[in-house]
Amino acid sequence: MLIAIVEDELKLSAALESYLSKDDFDTTLYNEGNAALEGLINAPPDLVLLDLMLPGLDGLSICKEFRKHSTVPVIMLTARVEEIDRLLGLEIGADDYICKPYSPREVVARVKAVLRRTSVSSEDSGNQRLVLDESVARVLVDGNVCILTAVELRLLKAMMERPGQIFNRSQLMRRIYTDDRIVSERTIDSHIKKLRQKLSAVCATDEFIHSVYGIGYKYEVPV
Ligand code: CA
């Protein structure tokens, strides 16, 4: 597992590197924002530890831009607790937040927890009820073929990568459109509605996409 550490304070990044390597993680280090974004996109790690305040591009902009290219988990490192509330409100797509000062041990524990949480879908792909076949834009539901549009495919993929996680409409919007176009939230609702209709046409008994009142949607396979 490769962990990218984006941190300009060398003392901190060295401590993280040493603790992560004790747990058999490989690490790659960036201490400047623009180089970090370029590196993360060109050589994606398995997880990113991302400091907020950086020379060059800041952590916030890096996370937003990186999210257009990748669903690799991102843990933000930030100096103040109050900052976390603000970041959550901005919906930058981070998977977790750690407040500075932190103990490197705590960071390693959080890295493992986030990796466990986010790798569930790929580990279980052998016995999943829904199997995405991106090359031909279709999903198999219990082996039954369901043909999707490109947008429906991206929507479903984004949610399937994080089972149980609630996505709001703007998060989903960012996943399905690679440009910065503005579409109304109703557009997402109508894509979701069609996606659900298609899924229920091949499996009438179970719902895989669930509405969460006032927030958005989540993917969850009924047990
Ligand atoms: Ca910093």
Side-chain angles (χ1 to χ4, degrees):
M1 284 285 196
L2 178 66
I3 312 296
I5 303 169
V6 186
E7 168 66 75
D8 57 318
E9 284 171 70
L10 292 178
K11 246 189 205 168
L12 296 180
S13 55
L16 288 176
E17 265 191 316
S18 118
Y19 271 81
L20 284 164
S21 65
K22 271 186 222 159
D23 265 285
D24 290 328
F25 289 107
D26 295 316
T27 54
T28 172
L29 189 63
Y30 301 98
N31 55 19
E32 192 275 333
N34 292 297
L37 179 61
E38 200 186 323
L40 293 177
I41 291 171
N42 294 330
D46 296 295
L47 182 143
V48 185
L49 288 170
L50 181 56
D51 184 30
L52 187 63
M53 301 298 284
L54 292 162
L57 213 54
D58 64 57
L60 203 97
S61 313
I62 294 175
C63 190
K64 275 186 168 170
E65 189 58 34
F66 182 56
R67 269 290 165 262
K68 295 179 188 166
H69 300 266
S70 172
T71 57
V72 162
V74 174
I75 301 179
M76 298 288 300
L77 308 171
T78 168
R80 283 178 300 146
V81 186
E82 308 90 78
E83 192 77 307
I84 293 181
D85 281 343
R86 191 173 76 84
L87 291 172
L88 283 173
L90 291 175
E91 299 157 1
I92 54 171
D95 295 83
D96 204 354
Y97 297 87
I98 297 175
C99 201
K100 288 179 171 183
Y102 50 71
S103 77
R105 203 185 301 272
E106 179 201 350
V107 175
V108 174
R110 298 280 275 278
V111 164
K112 288 181 181 170
V114 168
L115 284 173
R116 258 198 312 275
R117 194 173 81 206
T118 53
S119 69
V120 172
S121 56
S122 48
E123 277 171 12
D124 288 352
S125 59
N127 51 21
Q128 257 184 5
R129 294 186 57 194
L130 265 66
V131 179
L132 274 184
D133 191 347
E134 289 181 69
S135 57
V136 286
R138 66 177 194 179
V139 59
L140 298 175
V141 186
D142 298 331
N144 301 311
V145 177
C146 178
I147 305 291
L148 303 176
T149 65
V151 165
E152 290 161 359
L153 185 83
R154 284 203 285 273
L155 266 179
L156 183 59
K157 188 180 177 224
M159 288 189 284
M160 281 180 72
E161 279 168 353
R162 302 271 201 280
Q165 180 180 320
I166 303 165
F167 292 87
N168 63 29
R169 289 169 181 83
S170 53
Q171 286 170 325
L172 289 173
M173 234 177 273
R174 282 199 298 275
R175 296 298 177 87
I176 62 176
Y177 301 115
T178 45
D179 50 4
D180 279 326
R181 84 175 80 176
I182 307 292
V183 294
S184 81
E185 301 203 325
R186 279 168 195 268
T187 311
I188 296 291
D189 291 338
S190 88
H191 286 307
I192 292 273
K193 191 176 167 194
K194 284 187 196 131
L195 178 57
R196 279 173 145 171
Q197 284 167 350
K198 287 186 179 182
L199 292 175
S200 67
V202 292
C203 177
T205 48
D206 290 312
E207 285 281 353
F208 299 99
I209 296 168
H210 306 264
S211 303
V212 181
Y213 183 76
I215 308 179
Y217 299 99
K218 65 175 178 178
Y219 168 83
E220 214 159 51
V221 177
V223 281

